[in-house]
Amino acid sequence: MASTLGLEVIAEGVETAEQKEILLNAGCHHFQGYLFAKPMPIDQFNQLLKTLDESPPLSA
């Protein structure tokens, strides 16, 4: 339904690679949840973002 409306969806609560794969197969390409990171204090989150920003891009 979201794609029909021209919207993108963020799946929340993704905890396993299997869940991510099911969502990818359903056309969802944005995720958040324990599979990627557990909740953390804002200072730790900012450091994670800084680390990711300094990392080389992933190859397609």
Side-chain angles (χ1 to χ4, degrees):
M1 179 168 48
S3 62
T4 302
L5 296 171
L7 301 172
E8 294 187 32
V9 173
I10 300 173
E12 296 186 23
V14 179
E15 296 184 9
T16 66
E18 181 182 21
Q19 290 172 331
K20 180 183 173 197
E21 188 66 30
I22 291 168
L23 290 162
L24 281 169
N25 290 333
C28 181
H29 300 281
H30 306 287
F31 320 94
Q32 68 179 40
Y34 279 11
L35 178 62
F36 309 99
K38 299 208 181 325
M40 63 186 75
I42 191 66
D43 292 340
Q44 187 179 351
F45 178 71
N46 286 334
Q47 183 60 42
L48 175 63
L49 290 179
K50 182 179 178 189
T51 301
L52 292 173
D53 190 43
E54 295 170 352
S55 300
L58 296 174
S59 300

